[in-house]
């Protein structure tokens, strides 16, 4: 585009001329009135003029007119008087709030492209305002989780429960690096669908339900603190939970657990025996101290802080478990070697492999509950020992075994033990 003359003072005698191809737009200066007039010929003929009080504004408008005329975009130049008035009024209203006209148009079009059919932008804004009232404290998912964990720690929740919060909800917070108020049920659903196992397969429904349970806890906490509205929290609460898959309960046979214990290293034999004959969870065994194993009184105490449920419980030590523990028992220290519960399970699995057997996931706890129930025939008593509800035992842990098999299970003892162990064993 050419522009001449270059000096605004020359425009007092000669106009500034902007050319774009065959299009020519001129700026005239009227010194007495301090007005710059842009003049051009629209496609429909005649002559158009527009006045400005600043030369730079006039030059900018002239360039724009020349460019649009050259491109054949002359629609804006054919505005009626009413349309021109509306345009000017719109520009003035936008300028009053510090928004450029073109920016407003671009933002509207971008927002409109994201709206579902039949929903207006105003409806969407009103819904956003409802979810984010001015009095609401803006908090990210990560910030709310940190506050939740701090609160649960102060109220004395178990270490296992706190670990669950950090692990499952920590991943959730890393996924949603945004204010908690913008996390919708649909987005939560997408997150749950994305969960995979270590080998890339979709997780089981029971895992999804466990994660969703903690997400609901998080949003309930956020509602009480005023970080989300009640309606928002209720929407998360209303997310439909998938039906858990029916899972066949896997247990070890008495001969299999005998072989696994025989092949277990010395530092893993005690934890294996406790899992098999006391039914304590792997994570609870990992935190168990020898000081809580009382061979004299024949009981193991799982403190509230070490329990998954946050409840203290006492588990009886049957005769055969006492025989396994007696040679290795200590006055203090951890029952298991240092490491994580996963590492403990790996050591147990290696013992099974040496015995020529395949490790059964949760096999120790499943076996204990199943065999214990077959012997005592009281699911309420077994539920109390295991730290579960009777309903949970019926739905997730109980395998069909006989009373004779139960007695044989609790007669498994170190091979060097002499005597008729089956007759001597008294299941407490």
């Amino acid at each position: 585009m050419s522009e001449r003359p270059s000096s605004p003072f020359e425009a007092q005698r000669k106009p500034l001329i902007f050319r774009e191809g065959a299009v020519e737009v001129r700026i005239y200066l009227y010194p007495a009135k301090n007005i710059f007039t842009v003049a051009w010929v629209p496609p429909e003929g005649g002559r158009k003029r527009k006045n400005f009080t600043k030369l730079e504004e006039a030059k900018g408008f002239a360039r724009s007119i020349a460019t649009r005329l050259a491109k054949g975009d002359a629609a804006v130049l054919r505005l009626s008087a009413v349309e021109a008035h509306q345009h000017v009024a719109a520009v003035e209203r936008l300028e009053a709030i510090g928004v450029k006209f073109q920016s407003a148009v671009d933002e509207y079009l971008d927002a409109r492209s994201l709206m579902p059919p039949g929903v207006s932008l105003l409806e969407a804004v009103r819904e956003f305002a409802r979810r984010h009232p001015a009095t609401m404290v803006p908090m990210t998912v990560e910030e709310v989780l940190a506050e939740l964990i701090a609160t649960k720690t102060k109220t004395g929740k178990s270490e296992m429960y706190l670990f669950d919060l950090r692990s499952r909800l920590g991943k959730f917070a890393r996924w949603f690096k945004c204010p908690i108020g913008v996390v919708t049920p649909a987005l939560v659903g997408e997150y749950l669908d994305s969960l995979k196992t270590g080998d890339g397969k979709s997780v089981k429904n029971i895992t999804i339900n466990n994660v969703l349970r903690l997400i609901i806890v998080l949003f309930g906490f956020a509602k009480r603190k005023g970080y989300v509205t009640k309606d928002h929290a209720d929407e998360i609460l209303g997310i439909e939970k998938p039906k858990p898959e029916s899972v066949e309960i896997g247990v070890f046979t008495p001969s299999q657990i005998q072989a696994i214990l025989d092949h277990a290293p010395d530092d893993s034999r005690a934890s294996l025996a406790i899992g098999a004959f006391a039914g304590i969870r792997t994570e609870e065994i990992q935190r168990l101290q020898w000081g809580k194993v009382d061979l004299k009184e024949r009981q193991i105490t799982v403190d509230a802080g070490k329990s998954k449920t946050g409840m203290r419980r006492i588990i009886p030590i049957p005769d055969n478990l006492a025989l396994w523990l007696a040679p290795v028992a200590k006055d203090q220290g951890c029952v298991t070697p240092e490491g994580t519960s996963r590492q403990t399970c790996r050591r147990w699995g290696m013992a099974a492999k040496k015995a020529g057997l395949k490790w059964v996931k949760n096999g120790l706890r499943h076996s204990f509950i199943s065999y214990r129930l077959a012997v005592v025939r009281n699911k309420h008593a077994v539920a109390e020992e295991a730290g579960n509800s009777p309903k949970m035992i019926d739905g997730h842990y109980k395998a069909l075994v006989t009373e004779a098999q139960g007695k044989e299970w609790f007669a498994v003892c170190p091979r060097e033990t002499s005597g008729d162990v089956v007759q001597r064993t008294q299941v407490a």
Side-chain angles (χ1 to χ4, degrees), residues 263-277:
H263 287 83
D266 293 342
D267 60 357
S268 295
R269 193 169 291 124
S271 61
L272 252 172
I274 290 173
F277 308 121

PDB file of all heavy atoms in Angstrom, residues 263-277:
ATOM      1  N   HIS A 263       8.997 -72.965  51.746  1.00  0.00           N
ATOM      2  CA  HIS A 263       9.954 -72.353  50.818  1.00  0.00           C
ATOM      3  C   HIS A 263      10.170 -70.865  51.074  1.00  0.00           C
ATOM      4  O   HIS A 263      10.957 -70.231  50.375  1.00  0.00           O
ATOM      5  CB  HIS A 263       9.470 -72.543  49.377  1.00  0.00           C
ATOM      6  CG  HIS A 263       9.612 -73.942  48.876  1.00  0.00           C
ATOM      7  ND1 HIS A 263       8.670 -74.931  49.131  1.00  0.00           N
ATOM      8  CD2 HIS A 263      10.593 -74.544  48.147  1.00  0.00           C
ATOM      9  CE1 HIS A 263       9.048 -76.065  48.572  1.00  0.00           C
ATOM     10  NE2 HIS A 263      10.217 -75.862  47.966  1.00  0.00           N
ATOM     11  N   ALA A 264       9.492 -70.307  52.048  1.00  0.00           N
ATOM     12  CA  ALA A 264       9.640 -68.874  52.331  1.00  0.00           C
ATOM     13  C   ALA A 264      10.948 -68.600  53.066  1.00  0.00           C
ATOM     14  O   ALA A 264      11.380 -69.401  53.908  1.00  0.00           O
ATOM     15  CB  ALA A 264       8.471 -68.381  53.174  1.00  0.00           C
ATOM     16  N   PRO A 265      11.615 -67.493  52.781  1.00  0.00           N
ATOM     17  CA  PRO A 265      12.820 -67.126  53.536  1.00  0.00           C
ATOM     18  C   PRO A 265      12.467 -66.833  54.986  1.00  0.00           C
ATOM     19  O   PRO A 265      11.319 -66.504  55.307  1.00  0.00           O
ATOM     20  CB  PRO A 265      13.329 -65.879  52.803  1.00  0.00           C
ATOM     21  CG  PRO A 265      12.139 -65.331  52.088  1.00  0.00           C
ATOM     22  CD  PRO A 265      11.291 -66.508  51.738  1.00  0.00           C
ATOM     23  N   ASP A 266      13.435 -66.935  55.851  1.00  0.00           N
ATOM     24  CA  ASP A 266      13.184 -66.777  57.281  1.00  0.00           C
ATOM     25  C   ASP A 266      12.521 -65.436  57.617  1.00  0.00           C
ATOM     26  O   ASP A 266      11.638 -65.377  58.484  1.00  0.00           O
ATOM     27  CB  ASP A 266      14.500 -66.908  58.065  1.00  0.00           C
ATOM     28  CG  ASP A 266      15.069 -68.328  57.990  1.00  0.00           C
ATOM     29  OD1 ASP A 266      14.295 -69.244  57.643  1.00  0.00           O
ATOM     30  OD2 ASP A 266      16.269 -68.491  58.239  1.00  0.00           O
ATOM     31  N   ASP A 267      12.929 -64.351  56.935  1.00  0.00           N
ATOM     32  CA  ASP A 267      12.406 -63.031  57.301  1.00  0.00           C
ATOM     33  C   ASP A 267      11.002 -62.780  56.753  1.00  0.00           C
ATOM     34  O   ASP A 267      10.386 -61.761  57.054  1.00  0.00           O
ATOM     35  CB  ASP A 267      13.359 -61.916  56.834  1.00  0.00           C
ATOM     36  CG  ASP A 267      13.561 -61.917  55.333  1.00  0.00           C
ATOM     37  OD1 ASP A 267      13.014 -62.806  54.647  1.00  0.00           O
ATOM     38  OD2 ASP A 267      14.270 -61.019  54.835  1.00  0.00           O
ATOM     39  N   SER A 268      10.488 -63.697  55.917  1.00  0.00           N
ATOM     40  CA  SER A 268       9.136 -63.534  55.371  1.00  0.00           C
ATOM     41  C   SER A 268       8.155 -64.560  55.925  1.00  0.00           C
ATOM     42  O   SER A 268       6.939 -64.434  55.706  1.00  0.00           O
ATOM     43  CB  SER A 268       9.163 -63.654  53.833  1.00  0.00           C
ATOM     44  OG  SER A 268       9.895 -62.603  53.256  1.00  0.00           O
ATOM     45  N   ARG A 269       8.661 -65.558  56.634  1.00  0.00           N
ATOM     46  CA  ARG A 269       7.786 -66.654  57.078  1.00  0.00           C
ATOM     47  C   ARG A 269       6.766 -66.172  58.109  1.00  0.00           C
ATOM     48  O   ARG A 269       5.590 -66.577  58.085  1.00  0.00           O
ATOM     49  CB  ARG A 269       8.636 -67.789  57.642  1.00  0.00           C
ATOM     50  CG  ARG A 269       7.852 -69.086  57.837  1.00  0.00           C
ATOM     51  CD  ARG A 269       8.775 -70.254  58.129  1.00  0.00           C
ATOM     52  NE  ARG A 269       9.556 -70.597  56.950  1.00  0.00           N
ATOM     53  CZ  ARG A 269      10.886 -70.646  56.928  1.00  0.00           C
ATOM     54  NH1 ARG A 269      11.579 -70.324  58.012  1.00  0.00           N
ATOM     55  NH2 ARG A 269      11.520 -70.973  55.829  1.00  0.00           N
ATOM     56  N   ALA A 270       7.188 -65.308  59.022  1.00  0.00           N
ATOM     57  CA  ALA A 270       6.268 -64.837  60.056  1.00  0.00           C
ATOM     58  C   ALA A 270       5.108 -64.045  59.452  1.00  0.00           C
ATOM     59  O   ALA A 270       3.938 -64.256  59.800  1.00  0.00           O
ATOM     60  CB  ALA A 270       7.014 -63.975  61.072  1.00  0.00           C
ATOM     61  N   SER A 271       5.420 -63.128  58.522  1.00  0.00           N
ATOM     62  CA  SER A 271       4.356 -62.318  57.911  1.00  0.00           C
ATOM     63  C   SER A 271       3.411 -63.190  57.093  1.00  0.00           C
ATOM     64  O   SER A 271       2.192 -62.972  57.092  1.00  0.00           O
ATOM     65  CB  SER A 271       4.964 -61.224  57.035  1.00  0.00           C
ATOM     66  OG  SER A 271       5.740 -61.777  55.985  1.00  0.00           O
ATOM     67  N   LEU A 272       3.952 -64.195  56.418  1.00  0.00           N
ATOM     68  CA  LEU A 272       3.120 -65.124  55.654  1.00  0.00           C
ATOM     69  C   LEU A 272       2.155 -65.871  56.569  1.00  0.00           C
ATOM     70  O   LEU A 272       0.961 -65.980  56.285  1.00  0.00           O
ATOM     71  CB  LEU A 272       4.014 -66.134  54.924  1.00  0.00           C
ATOM     72  CG  LEU A 272       4.154 -66.010  53.407  1.00  0.00           C
ATOM     73  CD1 LEU A 272       5.222 -66.961  52.907  1.00  0.00           C
ATOM     74  CD2 LEU A 272       2.833 -66.265  52.719  1.00  0.00           C
ATOM     75  N   ALA A 273       2.671 -66.349  57.664  1.00  0.00           N
ATOM     76  CA  ALA A 273       1.852 -67.117  58.599  1.00  0.00           C
ATOM     77  C   ALA A 273       0.771 -66.245  59.229  1.00  0.00           C
ATOM     78  O   ALA A 273      -0.372 -66.678  59.415  1.00  0.00           O
ATOM     79  CB  ALA A 273       2.731 -67.734  59.683  1.00  0.00           C
ATOM     80  N   ILE A 274       1.112 -65.004  59.541  1.00  0.00           N
ATOM     81  CA  ILE A 274       0.120 -64.091  60.126  1.00  0.00           C
ATOM     82  C   ILE A 274      -0.990 -63.812  59.124  1.00  0.00           C
ATOM     83  O   ILE A 274      -2.183 -63.783  59.477  1.00  0.00           O
ATOM     84  CB  ILE A 274       0.797 -62.778  60.577  1.00  0.00           C
ATOM     85  CG1 ILE A 274       1.674 -63.040  61.796  1.00  0.00           C
ATOM     86  CG2 ILE A 274      -0.251 -61.701  60.889  1.00  0.00           C
ATOM     87  CD1 ILE A 274       2.522 -61.867  62.229  1.00  0.00           C
ATOM     88  N   GLY A 275      -0.636 -63.606  57.851  1.00  0.00           N
ATOM     89  CA  GLY A 275      -1.653 -63.389  56.834  1.00  0.00           C
ATOM     90  C   GLY A 275      -2.544 -64.605  56.647  1.00  0.00           C
ATOM     91  O   GLY A 275      -3.759 -64.483  56.479  1.00  0.00           O
ATOM     92  N   ALA A 276      -1.959 -65.798  56.701  1.00  0.00           N
ATOM     93  CA  ALA A 276      -2.705 -67.035  56.449  1.00  0.00           C
ATOM     94  C   ALA A 276      -3.575 -67.453  57.626  1.00  0.00           C
ATOM     95  O   ALA A 276      -4.709 -67.904  57.442  1.00  0.00           O
ATOM     96  CB  ALA A 276      -1.730 -68.155  56.096  1.00  0.00           C
ATOM     97  N   PHE A 277      -3.086 -67.294  58.849  1.00  0.00           N
ATOM     98  CA  PHE A 277      -3.785 -67.855  60.006  1.00  0.00           C
ATOM     99  C   PHE A 277      -4.374 -66.817  60.958  1.00  0.00           C
ATOM    100  O   PHE A 277      -5.019 -67.167  61.946  1.00  0.00           O
ATOM    101  CB  PHE A 277      -2.842 -68.795  60.761  1.00  0.00           C
ATOM    102  CG  PHE A 277      -2.217 -69.833  59.863  1.00  0.00           C
ATOM    103  CD1 PHE A 277      -0.838 -69.937  59.729  1.00  0.00           C
ATOM    104  CD2 PHE A 277      -3.020 -70.699  59.129  1.00  0.00           C
ATOM    105  CE1 PHE A 277      -0.268 -70.877  58.890  1.00  0.00           C
ATOM    106  CE2 PHE A 277      -2.456 -71.652  58.292  1.00  0.00           C
ATOM    107  CZ  PHE A 277      -1.072 -71.738  58.166  1.00  0.00           C
TER     108      PHE A 277
END
